Amino acid sequence: MIPNILSWLVFLPLAGALLILAIPKENKNVIRSMAAGTVLAAVLLSILVWISFDRTVSGMQFQQLIPWIDLGLVQINYEIGVDGLSVPMLALSSIVTALAVFASFNIQERVKEFYIFILILLTGLFGVFVALDLFLFFLFFELTLIPMFFIIGIWGGKQKTFASFKYLIYTGISGAVLIMSFIAIYFVGMQASGWTQSTFSIPALAEIYANPAAPEVLTSGVRGALFLALFIAFAIKIPVFPFHTWQPIAYAEAPTAATMILSGVLLKMGGYGLIRIGIGVFPDQVARFATLIAVLGVINIIYGAVLALVQNDLKRLVAFASISHMGIVLLGIASFTVAGIQGAIFQLVSHGFITALLFFMVGALAERTNTRNISELGGLSKSVPVLAGFTLAAVMAAIGLPGLSGFVSELLTLIGVFGAPADILPAAAVFGVLAGLGIILTAAYLLWAVKRTTFGPMQEKYSTLKDARPMEYIPMVGLLGLSLLIGVYPTILTDVINVTVTDILSRIGG
């Protein structure tokens, strides 16, 4: 095992970005090769972490703690580690980013800057998923903001400037709320420890908040306010209704590779943060606000599905479908059952692969037809059968066809919701039924869209389109294969997350 493997993993993409910085911008193929080599090395390291992770051990593994900043009152450590929640997210980040790099080989404008931003973004993602210190978590969380802003703003579509600034404003607000929450958690934690501890460490704060030396500090109102502030910060990132409006325009205007990363991994930071810090430090408050979380989850599922149904832009349709699918994560968390939280984590990973594939397919079709309007498409299965076939397969995965990963996450979540304790989630059956109706609606609009796009009479102008290029098979086969793998053999994922889920629930006696 490589010593300090998590640090190697986190900073490997940053090192790759620095190396690319030294390559003349005219050497585009060298830059592409360097970016591909870096992300493939990151994939190997993340798989090594996955293989080496001990599934029987509760708590963090591969931990590293280095004192970093000591300002007397404020002490910050470089503290990292992984458990069954973060290991799958590391693999998801590395794989989706690697496939996005291969999917972006056709980019010709400012190639050097593009890959530098992608690699910096990957360092931020890795950092978020291993950070065990709130301040460190925030730094990596913010590190993902700037690269994506520039990627949308430089390589995006016609409304790229508006989309990038809207993304910046919303996620900037999310970051501002997050850091204020962290500072409040820090100082309240100090008071709750009887002024004996000053720490941003998530595990240490979880212990302090669970067993405060000065319990009168942590009143119900204080705990509730701190949790709700955290929830708002992560809800913007997920995104949760009504904080979702930045997402459709950002997805629609971002280049294909960026949309794959944005939808496949970047949004997952919100769900991950809600589980890691929300449940990690405030399990009682998650249980307290379970009904609110479930209501928002159901709204996301149905609202996203209804808006997707009326879209004519294929990319915006997938964007609203993504909002709908993230509602399943909220619902799983709100159930506070093993199956429900398993379903939520499963959905984070599964949705990452599926939505990245969907956006790649939309990008591939739009590149050939010069349009994303569903009403202008049709009959593409006759001219580009391979692309049409993978598009249909991606849709089948998204609607939860048995044998694909979407089915497992939806099934686990619904089992969790229907089995939710009545004292935590009253009317759980109602939430389950509404979520089921939303999932059926999801299937309807996605099948409707793929039918109008790929079947029916073919327009003459599309008769000479070229089918999938060899390089396009890498992301298509990779993403669909992973969805199929964890759909047919979900144990490969649940085996990693089970102990962590049990540990989470034990904190409130679940």
Side-chain angles (χ1 to χ4, degrees), residues 240-256:
V240 175
F241 175 89
F243 308 112
H244 66 285
T245 60
W246 65 269
Q247 190 244 38
I249 184 72
Y251 278 20
E253 297 303 317
T256 298

Side-chain angles (χ1 to χ4, degrees), residues 124-190:
L125 288 167
F126 281 152
V128 164
F129 296 135
V130 302
L132 296 181
D133 181 281
L134 289 181
F135 189 79
L136 197 62
F137 180 97
F138 174 75
L139 286 183
F140 285 121
F141 190 88
E142 290 297 277
L143 185 60
T144 64
L145 171 62
I146 301 303
M148 186 54 75
F149 166 74
F150 282 114
I151 290 172
I152 297 173
I154 297 174
W155 292 273
K158 292 179 181 176
Q159 299 184 70
K160 59 187 180 185
T161 303
F162 175 71
S164 59
F165 275 98
K166 192 165 187 178
Y167 166 80
L168 183 68
I169 291 169
Y170 269 77
T171 50
I173 291 172
S174 170
V177 176
L178 196 63
I179 189 61
M180 288 190 288
S181 307
F182 286 174
I183 291 171
I185 291 170
Y186 176 82
F187 282 105
V188 172
M190 284 180 65

Side-chain angles (χ1 to χ4, degrees), residues 369-383:
T369 60
N370 292 318
T371 183
R372 300 195 307 253
N373 289 337
I374 298 172
S375 58
E376 297 177 12
L377 299 170
L380 295 180
S381 62
K382 299 178 180 65
S383 56

Side-chain angles (χ1 to χ4, degrees), residues 283-409:
D284 57 329
Q285 298 306 307
V286 178
R288 177 185 175 189
F289 293 105
T291 298
L292 172 65
I293 297 171
V295 167
L296 292 173
V298 168
I299 290 175
N300 256 47
I301 292 172
I302 296 177
Y303 174 81
V306 170
L307 285 187
L309 197 57
V310 299
Q311 299 301 315
N312 189 41
D313 184 318
L314 201 53
K315 207 170 183 183
R316 288 180 68 88
L317 183 148
V318 178
F320 280 108
S322 181
I323 291 176
S324 180
H325 283 132
M326 293 310 290
I328 294 172
V329 175
L330 290 180
L331 208 53
I333 292 172
S335 76
F336 241 104
T337 59
V338 171
I341 295 180
Q342 276 181 335
I345 300 173
F346 213 102
Q347 177 70 347
L348 289 175
V349 178
S350 164
H351 182 261
F353 293 136
I354 294 171
T355 195
L357 178 58
L358 279 170
F359 278 115
F360 177 79
M361 300 315 304
V362 171
L365 294 177
E367 178 194 337
R368 287 162 173 79
T369 60
N370 292 318
T371 183
R372 300 195 307 253
N373 289 337
I374 298 172
S375 58
E376 297 177 12
L377 299 170
L380 295 180
S381 62
K382 299 178 180 65
S383 56
V384 286
V386 173
L387 291 178
F390 272 96
T391 303
L392 179 61
V395 166
M396 291 299 175
I399 67 177
L401 187 75
L404 293 164
S405 58
F407 173 77
V408 182
S409 54

